[in-house]
Structure formats: C-alpha cells, structure tokens
Amino acid sequence: MSAPRRPYRLNPHIRPGMLHDMCQDPDWWPYLDLIAMHPNAWPDLRAWISRVHTAGSVESEPVPPEPPADHPGLAGRLLAPRSTPRPPEPDDETATTPPPPIEDVPQAPAAAPDDADGTAGGRATVHDPVPNEPAQDGPDGADTAEPVRHQHHAMILAMAVACTIVLTGLAGTIAWRAYAGHRAARDLEEASALCAQARADAVRAVDEWNTVAAQARTLHDTSKGKVQDDETRAALEKELEPVHGATPACPAGGIDIIRSTARTNTRTTHTATEHTDALRQAINAVNASQTAKTLTDARAALDKRVTEARKLYDSSKGKVADGKTRDALKQQLDAAAKLKDAKDVKELKDTKAALDKAMDAVNQSVNAKETADRKAAEEQAQREAEMQAAAPQPQQAVPQPAMPSPAVPVQPVAPSNPAPAQPAPQPSVQEPAPSWSVPAPTGDGALSDRDPGL
C-alpha cells in the first residue's frame, strides 16, 4: 500500500512579482486559493482573490493589483525560483489546505546551571579524558579530564575543512544560480520570440479569412439564380459564420504566461486556417456549379439555334440571291454538329455567333431575291403594258347623227367582227411610229371630223 499523496504546496520563497504573473496566467486561475495563502501574498492581492471568488469569474476583474516594492536580500535572491511554477496536475491533491506555518528557527538552549545555587557553568569545553591518563579530582569532588593541546589543533583543522566545504558549496550554488539565471533569460528570450511569431501568424490567418470571406459574400450575392445546384450556395452561406479566436499580445515577463499566450495564438491560427480552407472549398463548389449551368445554357442555346438554322437552310432552297450564303450556313451546321460533347463555353458561344451570322446572311439573300423578283415582275408588267398600249387597236365605225334628208337609203349593219385594217408597222425600240386608220365612209360620203386613232 502506497503512502498518501501530500497536498500541493507552493514554494514559500516565491517573490510577490512572480505571484502577480501567476494571477495573470489562465492556467493558475483555478488555484488562486493557493496564491492567497502564500506568505508573500500582500493584502490587496488577497482582497482581489476574494472579490474574484465572490464574482465567480476572473473576467469580472481581470487585472490583479500591482505588487509592492520588493527588495529581497542575498538569501532571498538565491532561494527565489527563477521560473514561474507550473500549476498542479489534475491528479494532485490540490485541496486548498492552508500550509502549516513556517516554524521558527529553534534557538540555542540556555546554559543549564551547574549546581543548585544557580551558578552558570564555565564556557570552557570539557573534553573526554585521554586514555591511560589519570583523572583528577576537582574541588567539588567531580572527576575532570585534563585538556590535551593537540585536540585543539584537530578541532581547528576540522572547522577549516568544514568552512572550506561550505564556501565551496556556496560558490557552486552561486555559480549554478548564475548559470540557471542565464539559461532562464535565454529561455525567456526564445519564448518571447516564439510568442511574437505565433501572434503574427494568428493575425495573418485571421486577416486572410476576412479577405476570403469578403470574396465569398460577393460571390454568394451575385450567384443567385446562376448555379446549377442551389445547395452549393447554402453551404457557402454556412461557412460565412465568423471565426471566434483571440490574438492576445505577448506579455513582457513570465515565461509560463508567455508560453500560454503563444499557445492561444497558435490555436487561433489553426482555427482560422481550417475555416479559410473550408471557405475556399465552398467558393470552388459555387464556381463549378456556375460553370456547369453556363455550359448547359450555352449548349441548349446552340441546339435551339441549330434547329432554327436547319429549317432556314431547307426552306431557302432556290430562294436566295447568292447560293454561297446557303453553303456557308451548311458549313456552320456541320461545325455545330461536331460540338455535341464539347465542354468549352467559349467555343459553344463562338459557334452560335457564327451560326447567327450565317443565318443573317441567308435571310438577307432571301430578302434580296424577293426584292429583285418583285422589281423584275413590276418591270415586266410595265413593259407589257407599254407594248400593249403601243400595239394598234381595231377600228370600229362611229355612228354619226342622222341628218334630215329625204330618201336616205338604209345601210347594212356592220359585222360584229369587222375586217381588220391594214397592219401598222411595229414600233422600234427607240421610238414607236405613229399610225393612222381611215374611217369608214358615212352614208353621205363625207369624212368624219374625229380621228379614232388619236
């Protein structure tokens, strides 16, 4: 059966300045009772710890009171620890049991009286009798040993050796303390440099997250209705939650609190980096969904335009002014057929634009032919009208008013189809020749005063 574990006790030689640093270390906050019971704790510090316990949290009053001026002596400087002690482990018996008071240094007992009348004994050292030397009786009948001179020399030699050992040990202790102090200073410098680097990394990681988050918010706002899968935008919005992480500045003293601050900044760096990576993945997912929708829309637009172009190509056969426009449209249709599985949005859009241009050329050619045909028909109709107007017209007898004359004989009725007059000469291309027709004689043998050819 193992012996019970002794309760955790602080080094009684810890100076007030180190107690102040321990109160600022979050790892020591659960053990403020031990600090309050330390013999070097000053009243303001004990009152601050009492207020913290009453409030239930150090955050209510995070700054402990400043320590009083401390001027330890040589022994205090030698016995004081060089680094802040670590808090007790979870399995230590850390019950806040007050440490036993420092016992007073026992004083040398007073010289006991030699006899009943209270006379003090002499300061002379009584030595053991030397062997083979006769003991001498004192005045009171007690045996006294005669001091021997060479024993004094042995005692002086022993004291000198003891002093040498003590001085050597003291010099070694001083040298060790000096080395430990130099090593502690070096460790403090290294810890400060690591803490500064950790804080710089944390600040840079948080700034990078803020930059990526701004880009993600812009993408989230502008990608509405432009993605193939709306779940990617929902995932991006979820990753836009702010990063909770502190970037505390490194303190000036106390290697343990400096290391604790460095660990806090390191945790913030890891958290911000993880959130930034997740945010970049969500951004890539939204961009990929936008690209997929753009590709789908471009392919659908090209397919629709190909269908319209085929109908135009089939319906424009023989109806274009320039057959090369239909040949160019056929080439673009063949080129579009080769892009069935294409994934290049630009190539699909360029093909659609080329197809639109070829269709416009065919439509213009169809319109040009229709215009030319209509104009030719109008010109033909005009020529036919001019030729018909220039052609000789059949002459018909114009009835004259009957003159009162006696015994006018009855003329026979002209046939419905009178004999045609002499054919007039055909008009030349430059200028048509005039023609005249001779009217039929009237009953009285007189000529009519009206020229039917005019």
Side-chain angles (χ1 to χ4, degrees), residues 135-219:
Q136 299 179 1
D137 295 336
D140 55 355
D143 295 338
T144 58
E146 182 181 1
V148 182
R149 187 174 298 276
H150 70 275
Q151 291 184 356
H152 291 280
H153 295 289
M155 184 178 295
I156 292 173
L157 180 61
M159 292 178 63
V161 172
C163 290
T164 303
I165 294 174
V166 171
L167 292 176
T168 303
L170 182 60
T173 302
I174 294 174
W176 171 256
R177 291 292 185 181
Y179 169 75
H182 174 72
R183 183 175 180 179
R186 184 184 62 187
D187 293 344
L188 180 63
E189 183 179 0
E190 294 178 355
S192 299
L194 292 176
C195 182
Q197 183 63 38
R199 186 175 187 274
D201 294 341
V203 171
R204 183 169 54 253
V206 173
D207 291 343
E208 184 179 2
W209 184 89
N210 290 330
T211 302
V212 177
Q215 298 174 358
R217 290 189 186 94
T218 303
L219 178 62

Side-chain angles (χ1 to χ4, degrees), residues 312-313 315-316 319-326 329 355-374:
L312 178 61
Y313 179 78
S315 61
S316 63
K319 299 179 181 181
V320 292
D322 186 3
K324 294 180 179 180
T325 57
R326 294 184 73 253
L329 180 60
L355 200 58
D356 292 340
K357 185 177 180 180
M359 292 176 65
D360 292 340
V362 172
N363 288 326
Q364 292 177 4
S365 182
V366 170
N367 294 334
K369 181 172 177 55
E370 291 178 353
T371 302
D373 292 345
R374 184 170 56 254

